[in-house]
Amino acid sequence: LAQQRLLIKGGKVVNDDLSVEADVYVEDGVVQQVGPNLNPEPLTGLIVLDATNRLVIPGGIDTHTHMQFPFMGSRSKDDFYSGTKAAVAGGTTMIIDFAIPQKGCSLIEAFDTWKSWADPKVCCDYSLHVAVTWWSNKVKEEMKNLVQNKGVNSFKMFMAYKDIYMLNDEELYEAFCCCKELGAVAQVHAENGELIAQGAKKMLAMGITGPEGHALSRPEEVEAEATQRAISIANAVNCPLFVVHVMSKSAGKLISNARREGKVVYGEPIAASLGTDGTNYWNEDWAHAAAYVMGPPLRPDPSTPGFLMNLLANDDLSVTGTDNCTFDTCQKAQGKDDFTKIPNGVNGVEDRMSVVWEKGVHSGKMDENRFVAVTSTNAAKIFNLYPKKGRVAVGSDADIVIWDPKASRTISAKTHHQANNFNIFEGMVCHGVPVATVSRGKVVYEGGAFSVTAGDGKFVSRPPFPPYVYKRIRQREQVCQPVPVKRAPYTGMVS
């Protein structure tokens, strides 16, 4: 990778904790200086980016993507090239994707497979969560191997997709125990898979075969019940919990309540749940309605996005991902006569930063520092990437975005770079636009033009026991253990 010497001049450097007018000098892919009026020598070969009246922010970290994912008889349209190219166009410089083995299959083989897909294609840095889709001693050993030798520190358990990925409560308990021993973050897809299976049968029996059946068969109490169950099991184990794609008010409230009770739990709303809603499932155009089908579904209550944004702004929810898993209209049409066969997934990897700025900052719900926290820094802290990622500071990786808060753009499938023929945010006007994106010290996107090379991104290892998460867990392990009551032995009669 040809290194570039960069000077970002005249901007306002925005981190999660403060904003300061400063220049940023980058060399060898790392931030070397941050301060006023920098003049690095020599000037020859120095690329200067003008950030006057703009913000200089850490590159976004998308905590939840599914690139080229084989799922529901299809494969998602965005591969690791088009997906990461779209990411940098939107101001995201790192994705964390999911390696997902079939039941009974090796976690390590799944990890190696996903890595072999990603390494030759990625345009920005990436990492991998690994899913635990079944339970055995072999799985436990493989989790240990992944943490100690492969740079994995997060595992996802599904409470939905019965007979495909779903774990029962005993298996969840075992998996959470293993995560805590290894210093990993336990993640859950929180929906009650049994209730979904019954709900789907019921809807089809009533003749409801369209996309609205998808939403009706998995109402928000199905998400809420599983969220509460996961929080209870994780708390019993003293294991940190990360709830992926928070889609409903009720799930959001449960996470908020748990945090206020002192539980170590993090919630991840996604661009879709913050930027649109489930009224689209009742659209009379089947293709339009099917475009929004994802699991868990978007909620028909149109006040849901604003409610989740309030929780995100006030630290009840912690990070934003996208669950980017794109299927085009022809792929979705596999379920034209049966909603259970519509491949689940929506876009978002390119749109997340702008949607969060529009609905969060432009609306007055959060400030620029909280925006950086929920799009980058908190993810870096939770998954032990900080301060190499998630911060603009001396010694941090030069993953940087020049952000124009005054500019606006209209999201459209006609102009986006995601490999799909529709966009669930079609027509949304977003204030806040990435003007230039720097990945590993290289300008990869500027003024609408790309300078990306497949394979330029690197796999980033994530060590176990992230301090941001595990300091509390370790302390509780020491001081919160139950102890037996000291009492004299009973010496009376026994019947």
Side-chain angles (χ1 to χ4, degrees):
L1 177 62
Q3 295 293 346
Q4 295 179 345
R5 290 173 61 239
L6 283 182
L7 179 62
I8 303 171
K9 278 199 76 71
K12 179 162 69 165
V13 174
V14 179
N15 283 306
D16 67 315
D17 53 351
L18 81 165
S19 305
V20 60
E21 304 281 343
D23 300 341
V24 180
Y25 174 60
V26 171
E27 195 175 318
D28 297 326
V30 175
V31 177
Q32 305 289 345
Q33 291 176 278
V34 179
N37 306 313
L38 297 181
N39 288 297
E41 299 289 341
L43 293 176
T44 51
L46 182 68
I47 296 169
V48 180
L49 295 176
D50 182 13
T52 306
N53 297 323
R54 290 166 177 167
L55 310 180
V56 180
I57 63 175
I61 300 171
D62 188 337
T63 49
H64 193 149
T65 66
H66 297 283
M67 304 304 177
Q68 59 196 74
F69 178 32
F71 186 50
M72 294 183 72
S74 251
R75 185 182 286 267
S76 60
K77 294 287 286 185
D78 277 307
D79 66 7
F80 280 96
Y81 177 71
S82 70
T84 54
K85 186 178 177 184
V88 299
T92 287
T93 56
M94 182 172 179
I95 62 167
I96 314 183
D97 208 87
F98 287 84
I100 303 183
Q102 297 297 313
K103 270 195 189 295
C105 294
S106 163
L107 275 65
I108 289 171
E109 283 177 19
F111 173 86
D112 289 341
T113 298
W114 258 260
K115 200 165 177 300
S116 74
W117 292 342
D119 283 341
K121 291 184 178 177
V122 284
C123 304
C124 66
D125 286 356
Y126 81 102
S127 199
L128 290 169
H129 311 290
V130 177
V132 175
T133 55
W134 60 296
W135 191 253
S136 71
N137 285 332
K138 179 181 184 234
V139 171
K140 190 172 178 179
E141 283 304 307
E142 289 199 326
M143 288 171 72
K144 183 177 178 182
N145 189 342
L146 285 162
V147 169
Q148 294 179 351
N149 303 313
K150 302 280 192 178
V152 173
N153 71 4
S154 48
F155 295 93
K156 178 183 181 182
M157 280 58 79
F158 289 89
M159 302 171 79
Y161 300 112
K162 188 182 175 186
D163 301 326
I164 303 171
Y165 298 137
M166 183 174 128
L167 298 186
N168 63 34
D169 286 2
E170 182 184 358
E171 292 166 330
L172 283 173
Y173 185 92
E174 294 283 353
F176 288 0
C177 285
C178 187
C179 284
K180 192 192 77 172
E181 283 170 26
L182 296 171
V185 176
Q187 301 172 292
V188 285
H189 173 133
E191 283 184 292
N192 186 315
E194 294 286 352
L195 290 181
I196 291 168
Q198 297 302 325
K201 281 186 207 165
K202 182 179 171 185
M203 290 305 133
L204 292 170
M206 293 170 70
I208 299 172
T209 61
E212 70 280 7
H214 175 74
L216 292 167
S217 67
R218 43 211 301 173
E220 70 175 77
E221 54 262 35
V222 167
E223 182 187 2
E225 185 279 329
T227 301
Q228 183 59 53
R229 189 157 36 103
I231 289 169
S232 299
I233 296 170
N235 192 57
V237 176
N238 190 26
C239 172
L241 183 69
F242 185 102
V243 183
V244 303
H245 50 42
V246 178
M247 303 300 290
S248 65
K249 286 180 170 182
S250 45
K253 284 177 192 169
L254 286 165
I255 293 165
S256 171
N257 290 343
R259 286 172 67 81
R260 287 165 196 223
E261 290 163 3
K263 296 182 172 77
V264 184
V265 57
Y266 307 96
E268 170 203 72
I270 58 173
S273 65
L274 296 166
T276 185
D277 63 59
T279 56
N280 290 283
Y281 297 129
W282 280 265
N283 191 291
E284 290 186 2
D285 177 352
W286 185 91
H288 176 101
Y292 292 79
V293 168
M294 64 170 297
L298 293 155
R299 302 304 172 189
D301 177 352
S303 66
T304 300
F307 185 89
L308 292 176
M309 185 57 80
N310 287 337
L311 294 183
L312 185 67
N314 291 293
D315 204 32
D316 294 299
L317 298 174
S318 303
V319 303
T320 54
T322 59
D323 200 3
N324 191 92
C325 188
T326 47
F327 297 101
D328 67 18
T329 304
C330 293
Q331 289 171 300
K332 294 269 188 182
Q334 291 173 48
K336 62 186 175 58
D337 303 314
D338 178 351
F339 65 82
T340 66
K341 294 182 169 61
I342 301 171
N344 288 196
V346 297
N347 62 278
V349 73
E350 184 174 355
D351 312 308
R352 175 182 69 112
M353 301 281 280
S354 287
V355 168
V356 175
W357 186 275
E358 175 67 21
K359 302 292 186 182
V361 185
H362 186 71
S363 73
K365 293 189 174 191
M366 66 172 69
D367 62 20
E368 60 199 22
N369 306 99
R370 182 66 187 165
F371 171 78
V372 165
V374 302
T375 57
S376 183
T377 309
N378 288 355
K381 289 177 177 177
I382 291 167
F383 295 112
N384 218 358
L385 298 160
Y386 187 83
K388 292 291 284 182
K389 307 287 187 192
R391 192 161 187 86
V392 179
V394 174
S396 296
D397 287 354
D399 290 351
I400 298 170
V401 175
I402 299 176
W403 188 266
D404 190 340
K406 299 279 196 307
S408 63
R409 70 184 184 97
T410 302
I411 297 176
S412 176
K414 294 185 181 71
T415 52
H416 74 197
H417 302 92
Q418 294 150 127
N420 212 10
N421 67 334
F422 58 81
N423 190 308
I424 61 166
F425 307 110
E426 186 70 40
M428 182 190 294
V429 176
C430 288
H431 300 81
V433 174
V435 177
T437 304
V438 177
S439 172
R440 289 187 159 262
K442 177 185 170 187
V443 181
V444 289
Y445 178 81
E446 185 180 10
F450 289 96
S451 179
V452 295
T453 306
D456 268 4
K458 296 287 177 282
F459 175 80
V460 181
S461 288
R462 294 174 292 127
F465 297 105
Y468 181 74
V469 176
Y470 265 91
K471 278 181 185 173
R472 286 189 289 163
I473 296 290
R474 282 172 152 164
Q475 182 66 11
R476 289 172 192 198
E477 202 67 11
Q478 290 173 11
V479 300
C480 299
Q481 294 293 350
V483 291
V485 175
K486 290 180 179 173
R487 54 169 72 89
Y490 174 77
T491 55
M493 299 286 288
V494 178
S495 65

